[in-house]
């Protein structure tokens, strides 16, 4: 299947999925928008915990884990609860925080990377002298960012956060600079597996999805979420 044919086929596959799952898709979009608003509100209500929570829950918890099995915070009170569970304590050592965070990751559903990410989380706090006031400075840097590149650069400086998660974290709160982004994760790569597009770079795959989504009236954020939640159905239509 040639690249141009794949783009047309992907466009048609997305169209079929939108028709077949219209009602559920609208409900899902509303849910995701509510969750994004919650994250936006938490910047004011929990400034000292906002950045570390995004690192811990939006990256370390979800990365390499089966999303369906995760105990992921979504409501405001759930994010507040998570912060109480993982915030650094004035009387604990680096080793104690690492151990406590590893237990937290496993209890929430990420076993595979718990050892590695618990060390990364402690490193984040060590660089900030274990003082939540210093994490507020991180949030202020993000709030002052005027473009996508600055935000991505900020997140990628934190250990364990790569190119795709540096996009996905701000996409989760529907950051205005990331309206037309696609996180090319394993599910989206899986859709293209077995096609000529499988050999494309992540940037080229992102462009392919953006174009197929636009043809169906979707922006990048909507295309990303649709392909994530309906990856199996899209792949089935793509292979017909």
């Amino acid at each position: 299947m040639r690249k141009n044919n794949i783009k047309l086929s992907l466009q048609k596959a997305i169209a079929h999925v939108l028709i077949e799952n219209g009602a559920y898709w609208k409900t899902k979009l509303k849910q995701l928008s509510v969750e994004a608003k919650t994250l936006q509100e938490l910047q004011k209500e929990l400034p000292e915990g906002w950045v570390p929570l995004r690192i811990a829950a939006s990256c370390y918890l979800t990365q390499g884990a089966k999303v369906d099995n995760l105990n992921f915070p979504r409501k405001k009170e759930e994010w507040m609860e998570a912060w109480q569970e993982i915030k650094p304590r004035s009387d604990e050592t680096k080793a104690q925080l690492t151990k406590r965070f590893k237990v937290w990751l496993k209890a929430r559903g990420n076993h595979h990377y718990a050892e590695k990410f618990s060390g990364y989380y402690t490193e984040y706090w060590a660089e900030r002298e274990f003082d939540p006031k210093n994490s507020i400075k991180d949030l202020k840097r993000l709030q002052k960012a005027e473009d996508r590149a600055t935000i991505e650069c900020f997140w990628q400086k934190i250990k364990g956060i790569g190119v795709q998660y540096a996009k996905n974290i701000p996409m989760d709160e529907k950051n205005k600079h990331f309206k037309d982004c696609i996180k090319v994760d394993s599910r989206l790569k899986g859709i293209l597996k077995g096609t000529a597009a499988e050999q494309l770079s992540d940037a080229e795959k992102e462009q392919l999805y953006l174009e197929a989504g636009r043809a169906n009236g979707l922006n990048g954020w909507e295309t990303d979420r649709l392909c994530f939640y309906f990856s199996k159905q899209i792949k089935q239509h793509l292979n017909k």
Side-chain angles (χ1 to χ4, degrees):
M1 192 183 293
R2 295 180 180 276
K3 183 179 175 181
N4 287 339
N5 291 337
I6 293 171
K7 183 166 67 175
L8 181 59
S9 295
L10 183 60
Q11 175 183 324
K12 290 180 178 179
I14 290 174
H16 280 296
V17 168
L18 285 170
I19 293 170
E20 295 167 354
N21 303 276
Y24 177 77
W25 172 236
K26 287 181 181 178
T27 300
K28 192 66 183 177
L29 274 181
K30 185 176 180 180
Q31 175 195 331
L32 292 171
S33 293
V34 169
E35 291 172 6
K37 186 177 180 181
T38 295
L39 287 172
Q40 294 165 13
E41 292 172 349
L42 280 172
Q43 290 190 17
K44 293 182 178 179
E45 298 182 33
L46 196 63
E48 72 279 11
W50 197 84
V51 169
L53 273 172
R54 303 308 309 284
I55 296 168
S58 301
C59 181
Y60 295 166
L61 177 60
T62 62
Q63 193 170 161
K66 292 184 178 180
V67 179
D68 296 339
N69 298 330
L70 294 181
N71 179 12
F72 182 83
R74 298 187 184 281
K75 298 179 180 179
K76 191 175 297 183
E77 57 269 25
E78 293 172 346
W79 283 100
M80 295 283 194
E81 177 187 351
W83 173 238
Q84 292 304 312
E85 294 171 348
I86 67 170
K87 68 178 182 179
R89 298 168 183 168
S90 59
D91 60 344
E92 71 182 341
T93 64
K94 289 174 67 175
Q96 288 172 330
L97 176 58
T98 300
K99 182 179 180 180
R100 185 160 61 85
F101 189 71
K102 180 168 67 175
V103 171
W104 182 83
L105 279 179
K106 289 184 175 181
R108 290 271 180 166
N110 192 334
H111 294 260
H112 189 64
Y113 289 109
E115 187 76 39
K116 179 171 69 174
F117 287 151
S118 58
Y120 291 170
Y121 184 70
T122 301
E123 283 187 42
Y124 169 82
W125 281 114
E127 291 171 359
R128 287 152 184 81
E129 301 177 331
F130 295 90
D131 187 350
K133 290 181 181 178
N134 289 327
S135 70
I136 296 178
K137 295 177 183 177
D138 286 334
L139 175 58
K140 288 181 178 179
R141 289 190 193 98
L142 282 171
Q143 290 173 333
K144 290 178 181 178
E146 297 181 351
D147 54 51
R148 171 180 163 180
T150 303
I151 296 170
E152 288 179 334
C153 182
F154 170 86
W155 289 115
Q156 287 184 66
K157 286 181 179 179
I158 297 169
K159 219 166 185 181
I161 300 181
V163 174
Q164 298 305 329
Y165 269 91
K167 289 190 293 187
N168 194 60
I169 291 174
M171 285 174 71
D172 279 345
E173 78 249 15
K174 296 185 77 172
N175 185 291
K176 64 181 181 180
H177 298 297
F178 290 78
K179 183 179 179 181
D180 270 317
C181 281
I182 302 284
K183 178 197 173 192
V184 185
D185 62 7
S186 58
R187 293 199 193 191
L188 272 68
K189 288 179 180 178
I191 292 172
L192 301 176
K193 190 173 182 179
T195 72
E198 183 179 3
Q199 305 303 319
L200 297 176
S201 67
D202 285 351
E204 290 172 324
K205 288 175 182 174
E206 180 176 18
Q207 190 58 38
L208 180 66
Y209 277 109
L210 284 171
E211 291 174 5
R214 286 178 191 138
N216 284 286
L218 304 177
N219 61 31
W221 183 85
E222 293 164 337
T223 303
D224 177 279
R225 271 40 185 171
L226 180 81
C227 291
F228 179 83
Y229 288 105
F230 297 96
S231 59
K232 290 182 180 179
Q233 295 94 317
I234 293 173
K235 186 172 180 62
Q236 288 172 353
H237 283 293
L238 189 62
N239 291 333
K240 286 182 179 179

